[in-house]
Amino acid sequence: AQTVTQSQPEMSVQEAETVTLSCTYDTSESDYYLFWYKQPPSRQMILVIRQEAYKQQNATENRFSVNFQKAAKSFSLKISDSQLGDAAMYFCAYSIPSISSGSARQLTFGSGTQLTVLP
Amino acid sequence: DAGVTQSPTHLIKTRGQQVTLRCSPKSGHDTVSWYQQALGQGPQFIFQYYEEEERQRGNFPDRFSGHQFPNYSSELNVNALLLGDSALYLCASSLNRGTAIYFGEGSWLTVV
């Protein structure tokens, strides 16, 4: 069974600084998808960034980027120029593609990292 | 562009009762999944619907059932509620051939 591990229950960062959240996963699959989701106090799960395992280039979305190390099964999230609005619970998630369609199937989530942004 | 919408936002039920939660997917999406998130934990996959059929199911008892309608909207039904069913229930939608999965704001269920 696939597992996702987030070893940092809590992290804090000074506003405008950079922070990296860690995620490791365990899988025997060669093709899969990885995601980072943000869950603010409103509890809505917001997609931050996603990565296809077959792509060697790390995904980036504005101030968010990932460091995907496939051999090490590591998928960390870097937040640059941290803003107060970045404060939230961050979840790393994994999915294998559907054999028939290639779409993402069920998400397996880690336990989350609570990020605090200090003014 | 309407996102994923869920109803009701909050509800309180008594142990043993039944509950129905509703979800409308993001515009253009045809696949709906349901997740249960207990306090302080990551979401757990319940099941996924596509073309009105349950395509994949997580490790949840048969008390949890669902339905998808021709307009792609979906319902989650939970029978014989237990105190442990108290959680945030999240609906997620995606395209059958897509990799981006978007969530609604969830339905808070409290069982007393």
Side-chain angles (χ1 to χ4, degrees), chain B residues 38-54:
Chain B
L39 208 58
Q41 298 182 19
Q44 298 290 317
F45 174 76
I46 303 175
F47 42 54
Q48 183 182 80
Y49 276 84
Y50 172 67
E51 291 189 337
E52 303 179 50
E53 291 189 359
E54 184 183 289

Side-chain angles (χ1 to χ4, degrees), chain A residues 19-75:
Chain A
V19 65
T20 298
L21 308 184
S22 301
C23 172
T24 58
Y25 56 93
D26 184 24
T27 183
S28 57
E29 304 289 335
S30 59
D31 192 18
Y32 47 87
Y33 306 124
L34 296 164
F35 306 81
W36 278 99
Y37 280 90
K38 166 186 176 181
Q39 189 175 43
S42 67
R43 299 305 296 271
Q44 181 170 13
M45 200 72 74
I46 301 167
L47 178 62
V48 174
I49 199 166
R50 68 184 188 272
Q51 173 87 39
E52 288 89 351
Y54 66 87
K55 291 185 177 179
Q56 293 185 342
Q57 186 173 6
N58 289 324
T60 63
E61 288 287 345
N62 301 313
R63 297 182 295 107
F64 298 87
S65 62
V66 298
N67 183 6
F68 173 47
Q69 300 290 329
K70 191 171 184 179
K73 297 181 182 176
S74 170
F75 183 61

Side-chain angles (χ1 to χ4, degrees), chain A residues 44, chain B residues 1-6 24-27 93 102-104:
Chain A
Q44 181 170 13
Chain B
D1 179 22
V4 181
T5 58
Q6 293 186 241
S24 292
K26 183 177 170 65
S27 180
S93 77
Y102 297 93
F103 284 81

Side-chain angles (χ1 to χ4, degrees), chain A residues 2 29 31-35 37 93-109, chain B residues 31-35 44-50 53-58 92-103:
Chain A
Q2 293 82 15
E29 304 289 335
D31 192 18
Y32 47 87
Y33 306 124
L34 296 164
F35 306 81
Y37 280 90
Y94 163 100
S95 174
I96 57 173
S98 166
I99 293 173
S100 58
S101 69
S103 62
R105 302 195 70 180
Q106 69 177 83
L107 291 169
T108 299
F109 285 86
Chain B
T31 302
V32 174
S33 301
W34 287 91
Y35 291 80
Q44 298 290 317
F45 174 76
I46 303 175
F47 42 54
Q48 183 182 80
Y49 276 84
Y50 172 67
E53 291 189 359
E54 184 183 289
R55 182 161 68 175
Q56 194 178 10
R57 188 179 182 91
S93 77
S94 58
L95 279 170
N96 180 46
R97 295 189 178 278
T99 60
I101 302 172
Y102 297 93
F103 284 81

